[in-house]
Amino acid sequence: MIRLCAPNELTEGQSRGFAVAELKLLVVRREGQVYAYQNRCPHRGIPLEWQPDQFLDHSNSLIQCATHGALFLIESGECVAGPCSGQSLKALSCREDADGIWITD
């Protein structure tokens, strides 16, 4: 398991990016649940954010690719709009406890 951060370092409605060895990933907290994905758009294989830790659209309800505007559901990673519609972000197993948010893959 790899510890990403303390639980209080990812607030409700917030997204953060991390690099673990060669793996770039993003985590989002929505309705108290933490979701983790590879930071890689399925359309072009490029990172999603336009600025550090900026992965969400203006409403903070969808993950957005800054390059082509593709929109992904936070809960599943499924692309619901844009050039990769029907594809999904690669989900990573994660868990949270009092000591941190962890990637378990």
Side-chain angles (χ1 to χ4, degrees):
M1 276 193 306
I2 299 167
R3 184 179 184 274
L4 299 177
C5 63
N8 66 350
E9 293 177 319
L10 184 68
T11 59
E12 181 62 34
Q14 183 183 17
S15 61
R16 287 193 59 191
F18 295 91
V20 177
E22 300 297 314
L23 179 66
K24 291 181 181 177
L25 55 110
L26 68 110
V27 294
V28 180
R29 183 183 299 279
R30 181 172 175 129
E31 296 180 2
Q33 178 72 34
V34 176
Y35 300 90
Y37 297 98
Q38 277 190 6
N39 180 7
R40 184 179 186 279
C41 181
H43 175 228
R44 296 294 288 278
I46 56 177
L48 295 162
E49 77 273 34
W50 57 279
Q51 288 185 355
D53 300 327
Q54 300 296 312
F55 294 97
L56 303 179
D57 69 347
H58 67 278
S59 68
N60 286 347
S61 62
L62 296 164
I63 298 167
Q64 183 172 26
C65 176
T67 303
H68 297 103
L71 297 171
F72 303 87
L73 297 175
I74 292 172
E75 296 83 358
S76 67
E78 179 186 354
C79 182
V80 294
C84 52
S85 193
Q87 294 180 289
S88 294
L89 299 174
K90 180 172 174 26
L92 301 169
S93 296
C94 69
R95 72 175 183 85
E96 180 178 14
D97 61 26
D99 295 324
I101 296 171
W102 307 81
I103 293 297
T104 58
D105 277 355

